[in-house]
Amino acid sequence: MALMSKSGVHHVVLLKLGQKAHLQTLREGTLYMRSISYFAKLEADLARADPYEGVDYIIQPRDVGDFRIESEIPAAGGISVDPSDLAGAVRIAKTQTSSCNLFCMFAVSEAIEKPIFAPGYDWFRADSILLFTNTPQFLERVGRAAEKRGITATGGLIKYFEKDSHSGSIGRFRKDSFYYYQREFRIALEPSSEDPLLLDVGDLSDITSEVIPFDKADEVLDFSSAAAAAAGLS
């Protein structure tokens, strides 16, 4: 098991947003996980479409010293490109990264004043929310289930970068700062494939809430600084 250590998640609250029927299935213990490449190819869904998903590195034109594409066909030769002619950052992606499967959640790692879900976003077209009441135990069960299938599970909070200035690694746990509002925590499973993966982790009803209507979130949930102080978390 290679999920985030328990010491790092005791004060992280996880929520899954989605359709009521899907969250009921999740509560029964089935995680539905799509590949990174699926999200990279989406176009119409602004909340989930991310062309940088599956990219391991980006290099800004200013940081490119020499750009040349060599062909294994002798007659084809090579192609050299002046960095100043590049239309944007160079993206480098490995097949292994693009085919791993993801389970994405909303993470509360610091106080959030209401509204919890900022207006103006479609929030994955969700009509419901599921609250995980014991994050370490949930991740432990995912790790055990993955291990039984011979799959490596890694998890953690997403770190956000500025796509127009960042040069360097991205990988599975970095995203464009455009998505910062999603406060994402994700679990990645590999090796896998571009097909959706179903992971049975066993009944989760003992460590999840009942499914909560999305429009009732601010009535039912309180992650404010005052609530954190009352719980001794400030």
Side-chain angles (χ1 to χ4, degrees):
M1 292 175 286
L3 285 171
M4 191 182 206
S5 66
K6 290 184 179 181
S7 61
V9 298
H10 275 298
H11 300 315
V12 175
V13 177
L14 299 177
L15 301 100
K16 182 66 175 176
L17 283 63
Q19 299 297 307
K20 182 177 181 179
H22 297 163
L23 297 184
Q24 292 284 15
T25 299
L26 169 60
R27 196 162 188 258
E28 293 167 4
T30 301
L31 277 64
Y32 183 84
M33 309 177 73
R34 289 192 180 275
S35 69
I36 282 184
S37 61
Y38 169 83
F39 298 106
K41 295 173 184 176
L42 286 175
E43 294 183 2
D45 190 341
L46 293 179
R48 299 190 299 165
D50 183 355
Y52 288 90
E53 286 284 23
V55 174
D56 288 278
Y57 301 93
I58 59 173
I59 305 173
Q60 298 296 333
R62 68 172 187 276
D63 297 317
V64 176
D66 181 51
F67 191 82
R68 182 174 175 80
I69 301 174
E70 297 286 354
S71 173
E72 294 183 355
I73 304 173
I79 301 173
S80 293
V81 179
D82 190 291
S84 63
D85 293 330
L86 294 173
V90 177
R91 306 178 192 182
I92 302 172
K94 301 176 184 177
T95 301
Q96 178 183 1
T97 302
S98 63
S99 65
C100 77
N101 295 78
L102 302 178
F103 187 75
C104 306
M105 293 158 284
F106 182 92
V108 182
S109 57
E110 58 186 7
I112 304 175
E113 306 303 327
K114 297 180 181 181
I116 297 170
F117 302 106
Y121 302 101
D122 68 6
W123 290 108
F124 315 102
R125 301 170 186 171
D127 63 23
S128 301
I129 306 163
L130 188 67
L131 170 70
F132 292 88
T133 58
N134 189 326
T135 297
Q137 180 58 219
F138 169 61
L139 297 181
E140 178 71 22
R141 294 181 191 183
V142 172
R144 287 201 304 265
E147 191 173 42
K148 287 180 180 178
R149 291 183 57 168
I151 299 172
T152 298
T154 55
L157 292 164
I158 291 294
K159 296 181 179 179
Y160 298 90
F161 65 90
E162 297 295 332
K163 66 178 181 181
D164 295 327
S165 60
H166 177 74
S167 278
S169 63
I170 299 179
R172 301 154 185 77
F173 295 95
R174 286 180 179 267
K175 293 190 68 172
D176 179 355
S177 60
F178 173 82
Y179 301 98
Y180 177 79
Y181 71 94
Q182 295 176 359
R183 300 171 180 265
E184 186 180 336
F185 182 103
R186 69 171 42 166
I187 297 169
L189 296 187
E190 57 186 314
S192 190
S193 70
E194 294 194 3
D195 296 323
L197 182 149
L198 298 179
L199 183 69
D200 184 4
V201 300
D203 180 51
L204 295 173
S205 60
D206 62 323
I207 56 169
T208 55
S209 68
E210 297 288 341
V211 175
I212 303 166
F214 186 83
D215 59 6
K216 301 295 183 182
D218 288 334
E219 296 179 23
V220 178
L221 305 172
D222 189 352
F223 302 123
S224 65
S225 55
L233 300 177
S234 59

